[in-house]
Amino acid sequence: MSAINSFLVSHQLRIASNPCVSPDFCLDWPELQKLLLAGEALHVWAHSGFRTAAGAWKLRENLKTGDCAWVLSPAPGVTNGSTTLADGVVLPSGACAFPATWTNLLALKNLILEHDPAATIFPGTTANLGRSTLGVGARFTTLHWPAVEWTMARLGIGLTANQNSIPRELVYDVDAMLADDLDTVPFPFIGANVPEGHQGQSVEGMSHGAVLSKLKSGFHHHRIAWSFNADHQPIGGKFDSREDALVRGSLLASYITFDLSPELAKKAPASIDAIAPDLREQVRRRMAEVGITADDAAFEKLLGTVWPAMLKMKQRDELYRAARASAFTTPEGRAYLRELSIDELPGLTTPETTAIMLALCDAMDMPVNFVAPAFGFQKNIPYPNQTKLRKLITAQWNVCQKFGVSIGFHSGSGKSAENYRLMGEITGSQLEIKTSGRYTYEMGRALHASSDPADQALWRDWYAFTIELAVAGAFSDDATERDAARGFILANYDEPADAEGIFADEATCRSTLVALTPHPDRVFFFEYNFLYVLAADGKATKAALGDHSPAGYRQRARFYSISREARLGYARRVAEYLIFLAETTGLATAARCAEATSRLAGFTAYSDLLNDIAQTSE
């Protein structure tokens, strides 16, 4: 048993209530093997079937623990079926069973794609995924996945159905986590650094869970391609020393976002003479082809500034390519999309900057599918000036379309319908909208509306947690933390509030917030809510945040115990938001979106939605 599996089992942190922590979806194979050999009635996921050359496969699960097994009914003539994957056993029925380990998952990807190159069980790059998509972040839990699968099935479009910043949000290495050797991430608005992977799940665990979710729901039968984005992969800087681990963990990601900011933060530009003259000329020539010019001084300054980071990006890209070539046997299995995130460069991104960066990517043989310029977006806030936004997007699109590159809109949640329609109109829907925090907020709405007593208890505790963080922040000695917290508090009032009275002292501030009607729309709840999922024992203290001990994971388990009523409410809200985005950006027709919305409104039980995923489109 691996160290992470031993840790989870010994603390009763099983997959059923704490999924995607271990890379494996079978923590205790000897235990599960005994049940299988004894003929125990384990759950068979009826829609999970698929075929390889070895035969027909289905997924079985011990619902008490969440441990899963692949069960193979060998094809005629297959005599050594139990060796198809690692650690196989022959069952009394003649079928063969294998533990759902990370190693077996990677092997199964090869077997599936060798047999059926068009299979969509694993994340991929085909259809429109490299041109038009919605990025669905999993910053909180995995409970939104059924809603994402249902939406893709009903709209008939593939999405970036799994998206996470690594290592910021996901644990990049479970052994480093167990050794208490994770780095921290600064969160200035709470005046503290929080451990990396502050949502608790590992990158391999999320990769594994996303695949199994599609099989359990039967989504894969639609044969709609979907992708997994390893978002904000940090390039250079302090991340050089763990580059191999970052690459290894993201092996199943079919879409990589390159974040150059760690290397750029070193502020160590290259001399222009360090860049080959023929490459500089190639970049200039490509810029001229798309109608962009830059004076010599500006061109050389930007080129020198980004050159060290671009060399590091090339090095990382080669590692991603080599890892996939080593692990996977088919072109489909090795393919991945690229996004260049340049919104970390100072100020709003100019067309000249975009053109230089895209020309560099082409010249260095790493063409990108998406580029993310800076538009001045604020998270979860509509862009206030449509005229200005039209001008900014048009200027970028005039460059991007000539390179055959789509625009990635980061901080994409919470914009207005008018904003989204403008994005879709100008780009011809060749875009990606990245969303994440919205889905945590929607969980708050679902719990708040639930009639289940346990859901209500979780909601009250969660809301109280955000009040305590807001109050503590409002009286912090750190000016950034204090200003942010007071802003989050005052934003809850339609009319100018008595700031002097509210902030007279901590007790007065707390009583003022407690007197407000609890609601997920409270700004302080929206801003602090994501920190609750891995707060040790639910404590609203900085030391408790992002806790990877049993106390943190016990807290996480509370969300996986919510009622079916809350799960339906949550899934409905997630699906409604994705339909809204698809319609306003033009990724799906208004008629298709209206039909899906009507269908969604008719569900009265969570099982209605789950059962509808596997149904073929009408």
Side-chain angles (χ1 to χ4, degrees), residues 554-588:
R554 285 195 299 269
Q555 168 68 8
R556 183 175 183 258
R558 293 187 69 187
F559 286 94
Y560 286 96
S561 67
I562 64 173
S563 71
R564 305 283 281 187
E565 177 189 351
R567 287 177 185 245
L568 175 60
Y570 182 51
R572 178 177 282 128
R573 288 172 170 85
V574 170
E576 286 171 348
Y577 188 63
L578 292 174
I579 293 168
F580 162 75
L581 291 175
E583 193 275 325
T584 54
T585 58
L587 267 66

Side-chain angles (χ1 to χ4, degrees), residues 270-513:
S271 164
I272 194 66
D273 295 331
I275 306 171
D278 59 339
L279 187 141
R280 301 200 307 260
E281 180 56 32
Q282 187 178 349
V283 171
R284 275 197 177 279
R285 187 167 57 250
R286 186 71 179 98
M287 289 175 64
E289 289 172 0
V290 300
I292 296 292
T293 59
D295 63 70
D296 289 345
F299 176 80
E300 293 184 1
K301 180 179 179 181
L302 179 59
L303 208 57
T305 297
V306 303
W307 182 245
M310 293 300 292
L311 287 176
K312 293 286 182 72
M313 176 179 169
K314 179 65 175 177
Q315 175 179 303
R316 179 72 66 82
D317 188 59
E318 285 298 315
L319 291 175
Y320 288 128
R321 184 198 58 76
R324 284 155 178 74
S326 175
F328 304 129
T329 56
T330 66
E332 295 80 9
R334 294 171 173 174
Y336 61 99
L337 306 171
R338 299 182 186 90
E339 177 183 48
L340 177 61
S341 177
I342 57 176
D343 61 349
E344 297 85 7
L345 292 168
L348 299 179
T349 307
T350 66
E352 291 78 11
T353 295
T354 302
I356 288 176
M357 298 302 289
L358 293 179
L360 264 175
C361 287
D362 283 353
M364 298 175 75
D365 194 27
M366 46 182 183
V368 299
N369 303 87
F370 298 92
V371 64
F375 293 105
F377 283 176
Q378 299 297 313
K379 291 182 183 296
N380 304 304
I381 297 176
Y383 196 87
N385 188 323
Q386 282 286 93
T387 301
K388 183 178 180 182
L389 184 59
R390 177 180 290 277
K391 183 177 179 181
L392 289 171
I393 298 175
T394 299
Q396 291 295 327
W397 183 240
N398 287 340
V399 174
C400 291
Q401 65 177 335
K402 294 171 184 174
F403 279 92
V405 173
S406 298
I407 294 180
F409 291 94
H410 289 196
S411 299
S413 290
K415 304 301 174 282
S416 68
E418 292 75 19
N419 292 163
Y420 292 127
R421 292 191 192 283
L422 195 60
M423 296 174 199
E425 171 200 329
I426 295 171
T427 64
S429 302
Q430 295 185 51
L431 50 69
E432 177 192 35
I433 308 293
K434 287 202 171 181
T435 61
S436 188
R438 177 77 183 214
Y439 309 112
T440 314
Y441 160 74
E442 295 295 358
M443 174 61 79
R445 290 183 66 199
L447 293 175
H448 175 258
S450 175
S451 63
D452 183 84
D455 293 340
Q456 281 298 307
L458 177 56
W459 158 248
R460 289 192 299 270
D461 291 346
W462 192 8
Y463 183 78
F465 168 88
T466 64
I467 286 180
E468 290 304 313
L469 285 184
V471 172
F475 293 89
S476 171
D477 292 334
D478 181 273
T480 300
E481 179 186 4
R482 184 175 63 252
D483 291 347
R486 294 190 176 200
F488 300 155
I489 291 169
L490 294 176
N492 293 280
Y493 298 90
D494 294 331
E495 300 295 331
D498 176 16
E500 185 175 345
I502 292 173
F503 302 120
D505 53 58
E506 287 194 35
T508 300
C509 183
R510 182 178 291 104
S511 63
T512 301
L513 296 187

Side-chain angles (χ1 to χ4, degrees), residues 28-47:
D28 191 342
W29 176 230
E31 175 191 58
L32 187 62
Q33 182 178 312
K34 283 182 185 178
L35 296 176
L36 287 163
L37 291 172
E40 292 284 340
L42 301 181
H43 183 75
V44 178
W45 288 97
H47 297 304

